[in-house]
Amino acid sequence: MARKYVRAIFPGSFDPITNGHLDVIQRGINLFDELIVAVGRSPIKNPLFTPDERVEMIRELVKDIPGVTVEGFECLTVEYAAQKKADVILRGLRSLTDVQYEFQLAMTNRAVAGIETIFVMTSAQYGFTTSTMIREVAALGGDVSNLIPKNVYERLRRRLKETGRLNESK
Ligand code: ADP
């Protein structure tokens, strides 16, 4: 019997994209035929990059991965999934704290839209990598260059300087 074609969306804020996200994308596309990285446009606390900038950065990073595309979206995740005729939502799990939140989110999405969520466990080296932590550590002058892609690191440093958020003690 022919296998069903599976299209997934990977929704998130990606402010900024980290090596942990990229790892989920790379492992996710091995499970599906098509993966749409969906950058939420809903307002988040103290964003560093605009949704368009986030989309552009991710596009540059995934341009050579067949089957992966990147888009911004404004509506509810489940509405966006329906618009795209996506079969599943992909999310990543780092810790038990993530499990609690993601469990609720996945249950809600299934209850309201009948859509399944598939989880990929973090690779151990990224288990503690969150975009929030990256922004905070980088703002204090910490070296996060091995946790995010090189061009993202450069743009992050530049943006923190431009917005007066870089607070280096040296
Ligand atoms: P959101 O604001 O929707 O949580 P994020 O950009 O923070 O958006 O995360 C998007 C998804 O990627 C979430 O499922 C999150 O758990 C997952 N994720 C983020 N960082 C990692 C990582 N280092 N390893 C595995 N999954 C991750």
Side-chain angles (χ1 to χ4, degrees), residues 10-21 23-24 27 44 90-94 98 101-102 105 119-123 125-132:
F10 178 33
S13 321
F14 305 102
D15 187 40
I17 184 156
T18 68
N19 288 345
H21 290 127
D23 176 56
V24 171
R27 288 161 53 211
I44 54 169
L90 172 68
R91 297 279 289 178
L93 290 176
R94 286 162 296 206
D98 274 358
Y101 170 71
E102 296 288 342
L105 195 64
F119 295 99
V120 166
M121 298 288 173
T122 188
S123 292
Q125 72 266 39
Y126 305 129
F128 55 92
T129 305
T130 71
S131 299
T132 308

Side-chain angles (χ1 to χ4, degrees), residues 54-169:
R54 287 179 246 152
V55 167
E56 182 204 312
M57 279 189 269
I58 306 172
R59 270 201 189 130
E60 178 58 31
L61 291 163
V62 302
K63 65 178 190 306
D64 296 326
I65 313 179
V68 178
T69 54
V70 189
E71 288 187 8
F73 74 104
E74 235 144 319
C75 55
L76 266 179
T77 303
V78 291
E79 276 171 28
Y80 177 75
Q83 273 171 27
K84 292 284 146 187
K85 299 198 168 32
D87 306 285
V88 295
I89 295 175
L90 172 68
R91 297 279 289 178
L93 290 176
R94 286 162 296 206
S95 60
L96 285 179
T97 325
D98 274 358
V99 172
Q100 199 166 21
Y101 170 71
E102 296 288 342
F103 183 84
Q104 276 189 335
L105 195 64
M107 295 289 278
T108 308
N109 287 341
R110 188 146 63 92
V112 300
I115 189 159
E116 296 288 355
T117 303
I118 292 186
F119 295 99
V120 166
M121 298 288 173
T122 188
S123 292
Q125 72 266 39
Y126 305 129
F128 55 92
T129 305
T130 71
S131 299
T132 308
M133 203 67 91
I134 295 280
R135 290 197 305 269
E136 285 170 6
V137 173
L140 292 168
D143 184 356
V144 291
S145 57
N146 57 348
L147 300 175
I148 55 178
K150 192 167 183 290
N151 64 338
V152 175
Y153 180 65
E154 280 155 13
R155 288 182 70 150
L156 174 65
R157 296 268 308 174
R158 214 179 317 137
R159 179 55 50 91
L160 288 167
K161 268 192 194 140
E162 281 163 13
T163 54
R165 285 195 247 183
L166 190 61
N167 185 11
E168 279 172 312
S169 51

